[in-house]
Amino acid sequence: MPEPVLPDYGGACIDSLAPALLRWRRPAPAWLPEPARDARQIVLLVLDGLGWEQLERWAAAAPVMAGMTGGPITSVAPTTTAAALTSISTGRPPAEHGVVGYRVHVGEGRVMNVLQWRTAEGDAREAVPPTAFQPLAVFDGAAPPVVTRAAFAATGFTEAHLGGVRLHGWGTPSSLVVEVRALLAAGEPFVYAYYDGIDKVAHEYGLDVHYEAELRYADRLVGDLLSELPDGAALVLTSDHGQVDVGERIVPLAPEVAADTAFVSGEGRFRWLHAVPGAADRLAAAAAEAHGNVAWVRSRDQVLEEGWLGGRLRPGVVERLGDVALAAREPISFLDPADHGWRAVLRSRHGSVTAAEMLVPLLAG
């Protein structure tokens, strides 16, 4: 059985990237690509959903990125956008910032969709204030400009992982380039830019011809950004996670596992099972027996002891976790009947700790 690929927290991992680029840590780590080491201006571009393995596979569709300097680093666990983007912005692992998944327990059996900041009762911003849920300063309080999709500006998740920055919204990718160019011309030393197209296409269509076409498009976007760099500036490119094409391989919990599960949180490839009272040990054993052939099954204590989330949890975070974790090893997704909407039928997914999901590019030019 292959071992999980765990994050290299504090090392070649996305939680170390902002500290390295913003010069919080000197000297520059060896894993930071050479063009970024002494640049006077830096643009950090996050291409959501672009794993290292996928970039290698479709290198011919992305000649600009393939020609940049760098290699793979690790994401965080779980390999989901909510946890990973917060680690990029705070420079901390999920154990410290507390955004430990896509759907997170927020008390009394309620589960909150972090990206939408909603529970079954509706908008959760009053019941779960974003800056209390994630209280750490982002980008060390430097308040850099952030160029992201304009529709994200008013969301609870943006408040949680980008609170205090200067938001510059874009409606089309061409506007992303225009905004970055203007900010560099104004002398900004650090600009953070975010593009979500690769992830959206992968979720909807899987890793096939549509994905390849989107990768070609994103590569042209990267080329446009590189062409706008003034002397002394560098573009640094990374991602929050890779992808696994699961298609319609959606696995329900085995009856004996469901019997001891009160509710489920997390995401399809990293499910947290919350045990009925007194049944945690029995649930762990049943889950290992029923699903251990397709997933890494860990108790909450094992997840913490093995360092999946990055060390000691910040106070109050442990309650956000379930009792048993199912981290898919095979190209499958575990069903959660309470997780409705378009995300219930995604063709490509992420969240687990396979190399395809954990390894992401760190490139510079």
Side-chain angles (χ1 to χ4, degrees):
M1 178 188 302
E3 292 297 313
V5 179
L6 296 184
D8 185 18
Y9 293 119
C13 178
I14 59 173
D15 77 320
S16 303
L17 187 51
L21 294 177
L22 291 170
R23 317 299 195 239
W24 309 345
R25 299 176 187 170
R26 282 293 191 180
W31 48 263
L32 189 67
E34 184 65 34
R37 291 172 176 264
D38 296 309
R40 293 192 298 272
Q41 291 179 289
I42 289 177
V43 178
L44 173 58
L45 172 66
V46 175
L47 296 178
D48 195 316
L50 178 60
W52 177 255
E53 290 194 355
Q54 293 90 65
L55 182 57
E56 283 196 310
R57 177 181 172 185
W58 281 282
V64 175
M65 287 187 270
M68 296 174 73
T69 301
I73 62 173
T74 68
S75 183
V76 301
T79 50
T80 189
T81 297
L85 292 187
T86 310
S87 283
I88 291 174
S89 65
T90 62
R92 305 290 183 85
E96 295 184 37
H97 60 63
V99 182
V100 290
Y102 158 61
R103 298 182 70 250
V104 174
H105 181 226
V106 290
E108 300 178 351
R110 292 178 301 146
V111 175
M112 182 177 74
N113 180 315
V114 173
L115 296 184
Q116 298 177 3
W117 218 265
R118 295 180 65 85
T119 64
E121 290 75 31
D123 191 314
R125 281 176 289 186
E126 183 174 339
V128 187
T131 53
F133 189 84
Q134 196 301 99
L136 302 183
V138 304
F139 298 114
D140 201 33
V146 171
V147 182
T148 189
R149 191 178 287 275
F152 297 155
T155 67
F157 177 57
T158 293
E159 186 178 351
H161 87 287
L162 290 175
V165 305
R166 290 171 285 145
L167 290 173
H168 294 255
W170 58 266
T172 62
S174 61
S175 297
L176 183 155
V177 177
V178 172
E179 292 292 333
V180 169
R181 180 180 63 203
L183 290 164
L184 292 174
E188 293 287 350
F190 178 81
V191 178
Y192 177 56
Y194 173 77
Y195 175 71
D196 59 344
I198 296 173
D199 188 63
K200 292 174 69 175
V201 168
H203 282 321
E204 185 172 357
Y205 296 103
L207 305 182
D208 206 337
V209 292
H210 292 86
Y211 183 86
E212 182 178 9
E214 172 59 26
L215 194 55
R216 291 184 187 278
Y217 181 86
D219 196 60
R220 291 194 290 271
L221 175 67
V222 172
D224 288 347
L225 285 169
L226 285 169
S227 70
E228 298 291 352
L229 296 180
D231 290 343
L235 175 67
V236 178
L237 181 155
T238 193
S239 185
D240 50 351
H241 55 74
Q243 302 275 358
V244 172
D245 201 329
V246 304
E248 298 178 359
R249 295 180 291 274
I250 311 301
V251 177
L253 296 180
E256 61 272 26
V257 175
D260 281 327
T261 300
F263 61 94
V264 176
S265 63
E267 34 274 310
R269 290 187 52 77
F270 195 115
R271 290 292 185 203
W272 279 110
L273 311 181
H274 298 253
V276 299
D281 290 343
R282 187 171 65 234
L283 176 60
E289 177 67 24
H291 300 299
N293 61 325
V294 294
W296 293 289
V297 182
R298 297 289 192 274
S299 69
R300 178 176 59 213
D301 287 346
Q302 288 175 318
V303 167
L304 299 179
E305 289 167 4
E306 294 174 14
W308 288 37
L309 302 182
R312 180 175 297 180
L313 297 177
R314 178 170 57 79
V317 174
V318 68
E319 290 83 4
R320 300 174 187 176
L321 308 177
D323 297 287
V324 178
L326 293 182
R329 188 172 66 249
E330 297 298 316
I332 63 167
S333 176
F334 287 104
L335 178 66
D336 176 5
D339 189 4
H340 303 295
W342 70 277
R343 280 189 171 271
V345 292
L346 304 183
R347 293 200 60 82
S348 180
R349 293 176 179 261
H350 48 84
S352 190
V353 285
T354 66
E357 294 154 287
M358 181 60 69
L359 299 180
V360 296
L362 177 61
L363 305 173

